[in-house]
Amino acid sequence: MALVVQKYGGTSMGSIERIRNVARRVARTYDEGNEMIVVVSAMSGETNKLVALCNEMCEFPSEREYDVMVATGEQVSIALLAMCLESMGYKAKSYMGFQVPIITDSAFSKARIEEIDGTRIREDLKKGTIVVVAGFQGIDRDGNLTTLGRGGSDTSAVAVAAGLNADVCEIYTDVDGIYTTDPRIVPEASKMDKVSYDEMLEMASLGSKVLQIRSVEFAKKYGVVVHVRSSFNDNPGTLVTKEDADMEAVLVSGITHDKNEAKISVMRVPDKPGIAAQLFSPLSEANITVDMIIQNVSHEGFTDLTFTVPRTDFKKALKIVEDAAARVGAAGVDSNETIAKVSIVGVGMRSHSGVASKMFAALSAEGINIQMISTSEIKVSCVIDDKYTELAVRVLHSAFGLAKG
């Protein structure tokens, strides 16, 4: 008997008929002799509606109350799925995050899972019960409801799989695996049979929407094998697993893009110790992630600092940076919301040279200007004008020969 964790996203849970389809798939896996934990998201569109209500109420909602509000979407999903399974003759029981409990820190809307107490779930599994858990949410040590950020149900599923030593964590979504790039932009994109944790970490951080980055971090840390599959067919998906020699033979595995980017530049910053900390510490305290950072060469004791933040945090970040810039005596702050990040990813880059220059040449040939560059062992990222995003993805996908066949 294997312990299987299955996760179904909002699209898979998007209607009563789709929930029935999920229930049939869950029941089939259970009937094969497996213990079952199912982690689900809110029905598609529900979280967006809840967020819109929060923003309609006030421009900057209380972060605690925001989480109380948006955590309600999954309560509907888990109840409906458990009801459906019971109507089919199976024992099923739903759990909100706080009922498990899934313990998190107190970073509202971006909470991190610290601990999962699987005692109650294990007792249910022993009784032959199919356990249905709300994704995306938990509870902090002060008893406050918390949410894990968009895509957090992936993290919930992998964390539950790790916490209960599941044999596999199957992530069901509206695509049947992980592709070399977004098939909506490049129809010739190829589905990958497997991808390493490190490649998936880079792809998730660089804009691939298939898996949330913290879910991959959990999977790598605890050695959880993740199988990404479609909830609408039985096709084999993509395994996210440990790196092997076959993966290293491929120069570039995938092309990612992210339009959720904004650029902030602080002009004529005094070039002396401690200034960067004064600029970036307030952003860290506000739980705003800073991505790419460029500092120009110092000139006459001053320098310019440019960095990117998520576009969703742009207004909040800009205000924080403007206040910090005034305190340190910078000349001013410039910003740009119309940027995007395109990236190439592949563990093969560790042992091959000339990858970056090939990327730059391909973009240059199409007249696409590069505003910022960031690199690691297995990725190269470029910030460009967001109107060129799709063109850049197609050009790079072709340049590195990633099309089918």
Side-chain angles (χ1 to χ4, degrees):
M1 179 184 291
L3 173 55
V4 178
V5 174
Q6 292 184 344
K7 178 264 174 179
Y8 294 89
T11 305
S12 304
M13 299 289 291
S15 67
I16 292 297
E17 188 47 48
R18 287 187 175 184
I19 292 173
R20 289 192 178 116
N21 178 59
V22 167
R24 288 190 288 268
R25 190 178 288 271
V26 170
R28 188 172 66 199
T29 308
Y30 178 85
D31 289 342
E32 291 169 354
N34 300 300
E35 293 181 317
M36 291 294 300
I37 302 172
V38 189
V39 178
V40 299
S41 301
M43 297 172 74
S44 58
E46 288 303 307
T47 303
N48 287 340
K49 290 178 186 175
L50 295 168
V51 171
L53 285 172
C54 291
N55 292 333
E56 189 177 339
M57 181 56 65
C58 51
E59 187 177 3
F60 297 109
S62 157
E63 292 180 332
R64 181 188 184 278
E65 304 310 327
Y66 174 94
D67 276 11
V68 170
M69 180 76 166
V70 299
T72 61
E74 283 70 26
Q75 186 166 351
V76 175
S77 297
I78 58 173
L80 287 173
L81 181 56
M83 286 177 198
C84 187
L85 287 164
E86 288 182 333
S87 74
M88 295 164 60
Y90 297 88
K91 287 200 293 185
K93 187 174 181 180
S94 66
Y95 280 96
M96 296 287 283
F98 72 87
Q99 293 174 307
V100 174
I102 296 171
I103 308 297
T104 74
D105 62 18
S106 300
F108 295 112
S109 81
K110 298 175 183 176
R112 288 183 171 271
I113 295 173
E114 294 182 344
E115 179 186 348
I116 292 179
D117 184 346
T119 305
R120 294 176 68 184
I121 290 179
R122 286 191 182 94
E123 289 173 357
D124 287 329
L125 293 173
K126 285 177 185 176
K127 298 172 185 174
T129 302
I130 298 173
V131 177
V132 184
V133 178
F136 175 64
Q137 60 183 247
I139 188 168
D140 71 10
R141 297 186 188 277
D142 295 322
N144 299 302
L145 290 179
T146 57
T147 63
L148 311 182
R150 302 308 289 264
S153 293
D154 290 347
T155 305
S156 300
V158 176
V160 166
L164 282 94
N165 297 314
D167 295 279
V168 66
C169 180
E170 298 177 341
I171 304 288
Y172 286 90
T173 180
D174 55 351
V175 295
D176 58 359
I178 298 163
Y179 281 74
T180 48
T181 196
D182 188 339
R184 290 168 297 185
I185 296 176
V186 184
E188 304 80 27
S190 304
K191 184 174 70 176
M192 294 184 273
D193 294 329
K194 57 185 175 179
V195 62
S196 73
Y197 291 127
D198 285 340
E199 286 175 317
M200 196 65 240
L201 274 171
E202 291 286 13
M203 291 171 75
S205 71
L206 297 169
S208 173
K209 303 297 190 293
V210 179
L211 284 177
Q212 205 244 19
I213 184 169
R214 277 183 284 165
S215 70
V216 188
E217 290 172 348
F218 257 104
K220 180 181 178 181
K221 182 176 180 180
Y222 295 102
V224 176
V225 176
V226 177
H227 193 187
V228 180
R229 304 183 65 183
S230 170
S231 58
F232 303 119
N233 60 52
D234 293 322
N235 297 340
T238 300
L239 286 177
V240 183
T241 185
K242 294 177 181 176
E243 185 178 321
D244 61 30
D246 291 344
M247 298 175 187
E248 291 182 1
V250 179
L251 181 62
V252 170
S253 299
I255 314 294
T256 66
H257 70 283
D258 189 0
K259 289 187 175 181
N260 182 31
E261 295 276 330
K263 184 172 70 170
I264 298 176
S265 299
V266 188
M267 321 305 291
R268 284 185 62 80
V269 180
D271 188 17
K272 55 186 181 182
I275 296 297
Q278 292 182 56
L279 287 172
F280 291 113
S281 292
L283 291 170
S284 173
E285 289 163 7
N287 290 310
I288 295 173
T289 303
V290 175
D291 184 13
M292 303 168 73
I293 304 174
I294 291 178
Q295 179 173 329
N296 292 342
V297 175
S298 178
H299 182 66
E300 297 179 352
F302 293 92
T303 187
D304 296 338
L305 266 173
T306 300
F307 54 92
T308 60
V309 296
R311 199 177 292 184
T312 47
D313 289 328
F314 172 68
K315 287 183 180 178
K316 186 176 178 182
L318 186 60
K319 186 177 187 311
I320 290 170
V321 172
E322 286 173 343
D323 291 344
R327 286 196 298 272
V328 302
V333 177
D334 194 13
S335 62
N336 183 358
E337 283 187 273
T338 60
I339 63 164
K341 179 169 62 179
V342 291
S343 310
I344 57 174
V345 179
V347 292
M349 291 188 201
R350 292 187 181 130
S351 53
H352 293 79
S353 61
V355 181
S357 62
K358 187 173 184 178
M359 179 186 191
F360 303 154
L363 294 175
S364 173
E366 295 295 331
I368 300 172
N369 186 48
I370 299 171
Q371 301 178 26
M372 300 173 73
I373 300 169
S374 172
T375 66
S376 77
E377 266 192 315
I378 64 168
K379 75 104 195 295
V380 182
S381 296
C382 296
V383 167
I384 61 173
D385 229 327
D386 67 356
K387 66 183 178 182
Y388 295 120
T389 307
E390 287 77 11
L391 174 61
V393 169
R394 288 193 292 269
V395 164
L396 293 173
H397 196 268
S398 174
F400 288 99
L402 298 179
K404 295 174 186 173

